[in-house]
Amino acid sequence: AGAVDAAEKIRAVIENEKHPIAGCRTVSIGVAQRMQNEPVRHWQRRTDEALYQAKENGRNRVVASDDNKSSIGDSVWLSWQPEWESGNTGIDEQHQEMIKMTNYLISMASAGKGFKEIVRQVDQLLDHIVRHFEYEEGILTEKRYPYYKSHAGIHRDLVSKAMQLKESCRNGEALISALFAFIVEDVIMGHLLVYDTVFFPYTREERAGSQAASAVILS
Ligand SMILES: [Fe+2]
Ligand SMILES: [Fe+2]
């Protein structure tokens, strides 16, 4: 509430002060309070949403993000985009599951769920990631992906870093938010949405090939 009052003061000062050249000026402000353990990116997104809402509602106003919005299930941090499809059904299903689990984890943390519950969910997600990496490496070997070695090396590094962080969280040397940040920034944003897309031409080939084959059968 303090931030909303401060923003309101700023807005009023700007509105009442005439600029010598521009004349009357107004400002739209979005405010969001960071929830306990809420990832910075998610918090920034809520602030942005509040700002857009202030502009949409006619500008020259302060809009505070509805904190209830961050309750479980309501807020989706990331939704699946068609361009993230690799063409391999197994990989795509696992990638979608990874994003779904991360969304859930973020909403759990934002809703202030207990440490134990969050750790259990983090464990499930990490298990899923490890199994997914193994599966993906199997497909990349099958496809004779030329950069297989470096890709598998990145997987290995990500897993060992995640395990180290998990250990540090367990014995209180790191905050669970550091592990979240790692999963969100390094595993999802950095790896899944960047490095994985490099092999798509190899996994998409399969789909293009099977379409060509069915076209031949049809003709
Ligand atoms: Fe992947
Ligand atoms: Fe990968």
Side-chain angles (χ1 to χ4, degrees):
V4 173
D5 292 344
E8 183 51 40
K9 275 183 196 150
I10 295 170
R11 191 206 59 76
V13 166
I14 291 175
E15 189 185 20
N16 295 325
E17 189 198 47
K18 268 212 166 22
H19 188 271
I21 299 163
C24 239
R25 292 165 308 163
T26 63
V27 63
S28 305
I29 303 176
V31 178
Q33 183 186 354
R34 188 173 175 198
M35 300 287 111
Q36 197 186 6
N37 288 325
E38 183 175 18
V40 173
R41 207 180 269 272
H42 188 259
W43 172 42
Q44 284 169 343
R45 211 184 95 164
R46 286 198 303 117
T47 317
D48 269 354
E49 280 170 2
L51 171 63
Y52 285 127
Q53 218 186 323
K55 287 183 175 171
E56 263 175 28
N57 293 354
R59 297 164 183 265
N60 190 26
R61 67 195 63 222
V62 175
V63 169
S65 166
D66 180 3
D67 292 340
N68 297 328
K69 250 174 126 187
S70 56
S71 67
I72 291 181
D74 278 357
S75 90
V76 172
W77 164 69
L78 200 62
S79 46
W80 181 257
Q81 304 296 315
E83 65 260 34
W84 299 338
E85 262 165 37
S86 71
N88 177 282
T89 315
I91 291 179
D92 288 338
E93 278 172 7
Q94 292 168 8
H95 279 172
Q96 286 180 27
E97 184 63 17
M98 232 149 112
I99 290 181
K100 209 169 118 194
M101 288 173 94
T102 309
N103 279 336
Y104 187 65
L105 196 57
I106 290 174
S107 53
M108 266 177 101
S110 309
K113 287 280 159 186
F115 184 76
K116 263 196 178 160
E117 261 180 276
I118 289 177
V119 168
R120 208 178 309 135
Q121 184 68 18
V122 165
D123 275 343
Q124 277 183 22
L125 176 56
L126 289 180
D127 278 353
H128 177 77
I129 290 172
V130 170
R131 278 198 307 267
H132 163 67
F133 283 171
E134 277 171 19
Y135 179 85
E136 193 177 275
E137 285 165 27
I139 300 290
L140 295 183
T141 311
E142 215 176 88
K143 299 286 168 201
R144 297 176 197 280
Y145 180 55
Y147 312 108
Y148 170 84
K149 260 199 176 153
S150 85
H151 199 98
I154 296 171
H155 284 172
R156 238 187 349 264
D157 290 347
L158 287 172
V159 170
S160 81
K161 178 91 192 287
M163 294 307 165
Q164 267 172 24
L165 263 171
K166 194 176 98 174
E167 222 16 67
S168 309
C169 287
R170 280 247 161 83
N171 54 38
E173 286 164 12
L175 291 173
I176 194 95
S177 52
L179 184 55
F180 270 28
F182 178 75
I183 292 171
V184 169
E185 304 290 330
D186 295 59
V187 181
I188 309 277
M189 307 297 284
H191 187 78
L192 197 155
L193 302 183
V194 176
Y195 277 99
D196 278 0
T197 62
V198 181
F199 68 65
F200 287 3
Y202 294 83
T203 42
R204 279 178 178 166
E205 204 179 50
E206 173 185 18
R207 192 168 51 179
S210 68
Q211 273 168 359
S214 55
V216 169
I217 293 164
L218 280 173
S219 66

